[in-house]
Amino acid sequence: MNPKTTSIFVIGILNIGRSMENFYLIIVIVLFFLAISDLVVGVSNDAVNFLNSAIGSKVAPFRVIMIIAGIGVLVGATFSSGMMEVARKGIFHPDMFVFDEIIIIFLAVMLTDVILLDLFNTMGLPTSTTVSIVFELLGASVGIAFIKVRQGLAEGHAVMDYINGDSALMIVVGILLSVFIAFTVGAIVQYVTRLLFTFNFQRNLKYFGALWGGLALAIIIYFIAIKGAKGASFMTENVSDWIKNNGGILFLIAFVFFTLLFQVLYAFVRINIPKIIVLVGTFSLAMAFAGNDLVNFIGVPLAGFESYKIFAAQQDVSATQFTMESLKEAVRTPTFFLLIAGLIMVITLWVSRKAQSVVRTSINLSRQEEGYERFETSKVARVLVRSTIFMGNVISRSIPPRVWDRINGRFNNMPAEAIKKEQGVAFDLIRASVNLVVASILIAFATSLKLPLSTTYVTFMVAMGTSLSDGAWNRESAVYRITGVVTVIGGWFMTAISAFTVAFVVASVIHLGGMIAVFSLIALAIFFVIRTHAIHLKREKTEKEAEKNYSQDDLSVTEKCYQHVISILLAISKLLNDSVEGLGKHKRKKLKKTLEASNELNKQVKIYKDRLYTTIKNLEKEGKKNPHYYVLVMDQLKELTSSFDFVIRPAYMHVSNDHTPIKSAQAENMMILAQQLSKFIDEMVDVLTKKEYQKISELAYQQDELLAYIGDIRKKQIKRLQKEKHHTKNNILYLDIVNETKNLTYRLYHLAEAMQDFEQDRDSEEKPAADAGLAPN
C-alpha cells in the first residue's frame, strides 16, 4: 500500500469516526463477524461434548455420526432462545450502564472469546465456552465499572454495584458443582450398568436390554423434548405449559412404548439396542449442546444488536447518557438467527481439524486399552493413585470375600470383545450409552432452569467417571490419565482467570482508545488466530507422520517396522548436520528447531514402544517365530534417539546461554564427522531398503573408520587443553559431543545387526552386541 492510499484510508476511518452513530454501527457489524468466528472456534472446542462417545465406540461410520450430530445441532439451535437472557442481564445490571459502555463490554467479550478459545483448540485441550463467556462478561463489566468509579462517574456507587452478584455466583457455583456431580453420577451409573451387563454385554441384552433401552430413550425424550422445549423460539406458551403439566405421564408412556418395542425387535431381528441408544444419544446431546451453548457464541452479538436497535430508535439522548434498562426485559430471539447459527455450527463440525484434535484428547483419556499416553506423570497423580489403591484395599477387606469375588467376576473379560476385534475402538457401546444418557440428563435439566451449565465440564467428567468405573484407569495407565484430567481441569481454571483478565484489559483499552483501539485489537485478534492455525497445522502434520504407517493397513508389521527405522535414520542424518552447522555458526534458532525435532523423534519411538504388545501379537499372526527381535529393534531405536538427543541438547544450551562460540578448528572437525556419519547412515539405509545384509561387513569397516577419526580428533583436543591456560566451556562441550557421537556410531551399527536378526527371524541366541545396554562409551 503506497503512502497516498494509506492517507486516504486513514482519512476515511477518521471521517467515519466523526459520526458516533456510524461508529456504533461498525461495532455491531464487527460483533456479528466475531460471532461467526466464535461459532467456528467454539464448536471446534465443544464438538468433543457430543462426538467423543460415538466416535470412541465406533458406533457407525464417521459420516453417519456427523450427519446425526449435525441434525441435532440444527434442531437444538432453535431451543436456545430462552438462554440468551444470560448475556444481557445474567452477569451485570444493564440499567447501571449507558449504551456507549454496554457496546464496549460486548466487543471486548467477543474479541477475548475468539482469541482464548482458539488458543485452547490449538493445544487440543477441551475448555468451557460457558466459563469463558461468563468470566469475560464479568471481567469486561468490572473493567468499565472500575473506570466509571475512578473517573467519578459512578455517583456514589461501588464497582460491585454494577455486577449481578447473585446470578453470577449461582452460575459459577453451578459450573463448579457440575464437575463433581457429573463425575460422581457417571461413575455410579456406569458401575451399576456394568454389573448388569458385564463386558460381554451381548449375552445379557435379552434380560436387560429392552429395559435399559426403554429407560434411556424415555429419559432422553423427557429431558430434551419436554424440559428443553420450554425455551424454544417457536414454542407457544400454551403448548409449553401443557408439556410441563403432563411431563410425568409422557415419560411413562415413552418408557413403556420403547421397552415393548425394543423387546419385540430384539426377539425377532436381534436389534443392537446399545447402538440405537448411542445414535439417539448423540443426536440428543448435540441438541442439548446447541440449546445450552449457543448463547456462548451469539448471545453477546445479539444483545449488542438489540442494544443498538433500542438506542437508534430514539434521537433525544446521546450514547453516553442513554441507560440500558431495556435489556432487563425478556426478548425472544428470532428463529432465523438461531438457524443461521446452527448451519454455521454444522459446517464447522465437518471442516474443523481442531475439533478432531480436541476429540482425540478426550477419547485417549477414557479409552479402555493401554497404549501411548499423551500426558506424563505428575506428583498429584501419583499421590491420588496411591491413595485410591489404599482405599480400595480397605474396602475390599471390609466386604466378604465371596461377595467381592462375585462382583469382580462381573468386571472380567477386559477389554471387551468388541474392543479386541475392531481396531480403533476406545470403549464399548454400553459405556458410550451411559456417557450420552447421563450427560444429556444433566445438560438438558440445567437448560430447562436457564442455567448456562458447562457442557464441556459435564460431558468430560461423565466420561472420566465412567472410564474409572470400567477399570480403564488401571495400575498401568491411571497415573497418566489422572495427570491428563488434572491438566484439563487446570486449563479450565486458567480459562476463568484468563477470560476475566483479558476482557478487563480489552474493555479498558477500547474505552480509552476509541476506534483506533478497536481496529488495532481486531488486527491483533486476526494475527493471533492465523498464527495459532499455523502452529496447529504443524503439530497435526507431526502427529500424522507418527501415525501414518499404522494407518496403512495394506502393509505388514515387518514392512512398517522398516519404514519406522528408515524414516528415523534419515531424520537423524539431516538433523545432525543442521545441529553441527547451528553450533559452528552459533545459531540459536536453528539449534532450537533441531532440538524440537529430536523431541518429536523420541515421542515417535515412544509410540512404537507403547504399542509393543499389540505389535508382537500381530507379528505372531504373520508367522514370525521370534518376535523378541522386534523388541531388540525398538530398544536400539530408543537408545539411538536418546544418544542423538545428548548431542543436540548440550549444543543448544551452550548457544542459548551465550557461552563462548566453539573454535573454527573444532567446528570444521565436527562438520567432517557429521558428514561421515551421514554417509554411514546413507549406506545403512541402502542395506535396510534392499535388505542386502551380506553388506553388513562393509558397515563394520565404515564404523571402524569413524571410530578411528573420533579417537584422532579427541586426542588432538586433549593436547589443545594441555596447552591452554584458561578453561572454557566450549572445550568440554566439544569433548562431550565427540564422545556422544562415538556412542551414536555404536548404536547405529547395533541397530543394523538387530534389523538383520529381525529380518532373518533365526532360532538362535540373541547377539550380545545388539543388547542396548552393551554399547561401549
Side-chain angles (χ1 to χ4, degrees):
M1 185 179 291
N2 58 50
K4 183 177 181 181
T5 306
T6 305
S7 300
I8 294 173
F9 178 73
V10 171
I11 291 171
I13 290 178
L14 293 175
N15 285 333
I16 293 174
R18 292 193 183 101
S19 173
M20 293 309 296
E21 187 170 339
N22 286 341
F23 171 68
Y24 296 125
L25 178 60
I26 289 173
I27 291 182
V28 171
I29 294 172
V30 169
L31 283 175
F32 275 101
F33 277 108
L34 288 173
I36 296 173
S37 179
D38 205 34
L39 280 168
V40 173
V41 296
V43 173
S44 298
N45 178 82
D46 281 2
V48 63
N49 299 338
F50 49 89
L51 292 179
N52 61 346
S53 294
I55 293 177
S57 62
K58 281 198 170 181
V59 66
F62 182 76
R63 182 181 295 273
V64 174
I65 294 172
M66 296 300 286
I67 291 174
I68 292 174
I71 296 173
V73 167
L74 199 59
V75 174
T78 64
F79 281 36
S80 189
S81 179
M83 295 293 295
M84 297 298 168
E85 295 179 12
V86 175
R88 294 193 296 268
K89 59 181 181 180
I91 305 301
F92 56 83
H93 295 297
D95 55 307
M96 298 287 289
F97 295 93
V98 296
F99 173 72
D100 177 72
E101 296 162 346
I102 284 287
I103 210 72
I104 290 175
I105 290 173
F106 291 155
L107 180 60
V109 167
M110 294 306 296
L111 284 170
T112 304
D113 206 48
V114 170
I115 294 174
L116 199 62
L117 293 182
D118 189 69
L119 177 63
F120 275 89
N121 292 343
T122 301
M123 294 188 295
L125 294 175
T127 192
S128 171
T129 55
T130 304
V131 169
S132 65
I133 204 73
V134 166
F135 279 89
E136 284 156 4
L137 284 166
L138 190 60
S141 55
V142 168
I144 298 300
F146 181 77
I147 291 175
K148 287 169 69 72
V149 172
R150 287 294 302 271
Q151 292 180 347
L153 303 174
E155 298 179 358
H157 291 289
V159 171
M160 292 310 298
D161 293 336
Y162 291 81
I163 306 303
N164 190 348
D166 293 338
S167 176
L169 181 62
M170 183 177 65
I171 292 170
V172 172
V173 171
I175 290 172
L176 294 177
L177 283 177
S178 70
V179 174
F180 173 76
I181 293 173
F183 184 85
T184 305
V185 174
I188 293 173
V189 174
Q190 178 62 32
Y191 193 83
V192 174
T193 305
R194 188 61 73 187
L195 279 176
L196 290 175
F197 288 100
T198 75
F199 279 92
N200 295 320
F201 64 89
Q202 294 291 350
R203 67 182 183 184
N204 291 316
L205 284 177
K206 59 183 177 182
Y207 303 116
F208 311 112
L211 283 172
W212 170 240
L215 180 63
L217 289 192
I219 289 173
I220 290 171
I221 290 174
Y222 179 75
F223 281 100
I224 298 298
I226 297 175
K227 292 287 188 181
K230 291 195 300 180
S233 59
F234 55 82
M235 190 70 65
T236 64
E237 186 175 348
N238 291 335
V239 175
S240 179
D241 290 339
W242 186 89
I243 291 176
K244 180 181 178 181
N245 295 330
N246 297 277
I249 297 175
L250 292 176
F251 172 79
L252 290 176
I253 293 174
F255 172 67
V256 173
F257 172 78
F258 283 112
T259 300
L260 294 176
L261 179 63
F262 280 135
Q263 190 64 54
V264 172
L265 291 176
Y266 185 82
F268 288 97
V269 295
R270 283 291 189 269
I271 187 174
N272 192 332
I273 297 175
K275 183 175 182 178
I276 300 298
I277 296 173
V278 172
L279 291 175
V280 175
T282 299
F283 170 84
S284 69
L285 196 53
M287 187 171 151
F289 149 75
N292 187 84
D293 277 17
L294 190 57
V295 62
N296 302 338
F297 313 133
I298 68 170
V300 169
L302 287 177
F305 180 57
E306 289 293 331
S307 301
Y308 178 77
K309 286 199 304 181
I310 295 169
F311 169 71
Q314 60 83 40
Q315 301 293 330
D316 300 327
V317 186
S318 66
T320 57
Q321 299 294 326
F322 186 75
T323 56
M324 297 304 300
E325 58 271 0
S326 299
L327 287 181
K328 299 181 73 173
E329 300 174 3
V331 178
R332 188 169 289 272
T333 307
T335 304
F336 172 76
F337 283 126
L338 299 177
L339 286 175
I340 293 297
L343 285 173
I344 295 173
M345 295 164 76
V346 172
I347 294 172
T348 303
L349 279 180
W350 283 92
V351 301
S352 174
R353 293 180 177 178
K354 292 184 180 180
Q356 298 172 20
S357 298
V358 179
V359 170
R360 280 197 298 271
T361 298
S362 179
I363 291 176
N364 285 337
L365 288 175
S366 59
R367 72 181 188 274
Q368 193 70 36
E369 283 192 316
E370 299 171 17
Y372 172 70
E373 301 291 347
R374 174 183 172 184
F375 298 93
E376 299 295 332
T377 64
S378 65
K379 186 174 181 179
V380 174
R382 290 191 290 270
V383 170
L384 287 174
V385 169
R386 283 194 292 267
S387 302
T388 303
I389 292 173
F390 174 77
M391 288 189 295
N393 292 333
V394 172
I395 293 172
S396 64
R397 286 194 295 266
S398 63
I399 298 176
R402 185 173 297 180
V403 176
W404 185 250
D405 292 340
R406 180 72 173 173
I407 293 174
N408 283 337
R410 306 295 291 179
F411 286 84
N412 284 339
N413 301 316
M414 292 189 292
E417 291 300 318
I419 300 175
K420 290 180 181 178
K421 291 178 181 178
E422 188 173 354
Q423 186 179 6
V425 176
F427 39 79
D428 65 9
L429 292 172
I430 291 297
R431 176 143 52 109
S433 63
V434 172
N435 286 344
L436 292 163
V437 171
V438 173
S440 293
I441 292 172
L442 295 176
I443 294 169
F445 181 70
T447 302
S448 70
L449 299 178
K450 296 185 179 180
L451 292 175
L453 189 73
S454 171
T455 56
T456 302
Y457 287 13
V458 171
T459 54
F460 182 82
M461 295 310 296
V462 166
M464 295 305 103
T466 57
S467 57
L468 174 66
S469 292
D470 248 6
W473 297 2
N474 55 32
R475 294 287 288 269
E476 303 299 326
S477 62
V479 69
Y480 305 103
R481 306 285 177 87
I482 292 175
T483 300
V485 173
V486 171
T487 301
V488 173
I489 294 176
W492 295 346
F493 285 100
M494 283 302 300
T495 299
I497 296 171
S498 303
F500 180 90
T501 305
V502 176
F504 181 97
V505 172
V506 171
S508 302
V509 169
I510 295 175
H511 188 275
L512 298 175
M515 180 167 280
I516 295 176
V518 169
F519 282 97
S520 299
L521 289 169
I522 291 173
L524 180 63
I526 293 173
F527 170 79
F528 188 86
V529 171
I530 293 174
R531 178 62 179 163
T532 55
H533 182 69
I535 294 172
H536 183 267
L537 286 178
K538 182 179 178 181
R539 182 184 293 116
E540 188 180 51
K541 181 180 178 181
T542 303
E543 292 175 353
K544 285 184 177 180
E545 286 294 325
E547 295 286 341
K548 68 178 183 179
N549 291 333
Y550 283 98
S551 64
Q552 294 174 331
D553 295 330
D554 55 324
L555 295 179
S556 65
V557 177
T558 303
E559 290 172 324
K560 290 178 184 178
C561 178
Y562 272 91
Q563 285 192 357
H564 299 160
V565 172
I566 290 172
S567 66
I568 288 177
L569 287 175
L570 293 175
I572 287 177
S573 178
K574 179 183 181 302
L575 293 174
L576 182 64
N577 284 282
D578 289 345
S579 62
V580 170
E581 181 186 348
L583 179 60
K585 297 181 179 180
H586 215 69
K587 292 183 177 180
R588 187 185 65 84
K589 289 184 178 180
K590 193 176 189 69
L591 284 170
K592 184 179 180 181
K593 288 182 179 179
T594 58
L595 181 60
E596 291 172 351
S598 176
N599 292 335
E600 293 300 328
L601 287 180
N602 275 290
K603 289 179 183 178
Q604 194 170 336
V605 174
K606 187 177 186 301
I607 292 174
Y608 301 153
K609 292 205 71 173
D610 286 341
R611 291 171 170 165
L612 207 58
Y613 176 79
T614 304
T615 304
I616 289 175
K617 292 295 182 182
N618 291 332
L619 283 170
E620 291 175 346
K621 293 178 182 178
E622 292 180 4
K624 286 285 185 182
K625 299 177 183 178
N626 300 285
H628 61 271
Y629 285 133
Y630 177 81
V631 179
L632 285 177
V633 170
M634 290 297 106
D635 286 342
Q636 290 300 328
L637 208 57
K638 182 69 176 72
E639 294 295 329
L640 178 66
T641 53
S642 296
S643 291
F644 180 61
D645 188 74
F646 290 148
V647 173
I648 291 180
R649 194 170 298 276
Y652 169 72
M653 293 305 300
H654 182 88
V655 175
S656 183
N657 291 332
D658 289 318
H659 292 313
T660 305
I662 63 171
K663 300 173 183 177
S664 58
Q666 294 172 331
E668 183 180 352
N669 287 338
M670 283 198 295
M671 184 58 70
I672 295 172
L673 178 58
Q675 290 172 353
Q676 290 187 6
L677 197 59
S678 293
K679 183 180 178 182
F680 179 73
I681 292 174
D682 291 340
E683 293 292 333
M684 183 175 169
V685 168
D686 188 63
V687 169
L688 297 180
T689 302
K690 299 177 180 178
K691 299 182 181 179
E692 295 177 343
Y693 288 103
Q694 67 275 13
K695 294 183 178 179
I696 202 166
S697 58
E698 298 178 14
L699 290 178
Y701 176 74
Q702 290 187 37
Q703 182 196 36
D704 291 338
E705 288 185 331
L706 264 172
L707 294 175
Y709 181 74
I710 291 172
D712 182 51
I713 61 176
R714 184 164 57 179
K715 290 177 182 177
K716 290 180 180 179
Q717 176 61 24
I718 293 174
K719 288 181 180 179
R720 290 193 202 102
L721 286 174
Q722 291 174 334
K723 295 179 182 179
E724 292 183 357
K725 296 181 179 180
H726 301 287
H727 167 73
T728 54
K729 292 185 179 294
N730 59 0
N731 290 322
I732 301 300
L733 172 70
Y734 177 76
L735 281 176
D736 288 343
I737 291 179
V738 168
N739 185 62
E740 201 56 53
T741 306
K742 176 183 176 183
N743 290 335
L744 194 62
T745 306
Y746 281 117
R747 302 295 182 197
L748 285 166
Y749 185 74
H750 294 337
L751 177 61
E753 286 187 316
M755 288 297 294
Q756 180 183 22
D757 292 340
F758 175 68
E759 172 65 25
Q760 296 175 353
D761 196 32
R762 297 172 298 185
D763 287 317
S764 60
E765 294 294 327
E766 300 171 15
K767 294 184 179 181
D771 191 338
L774 296 180
N777 293 316

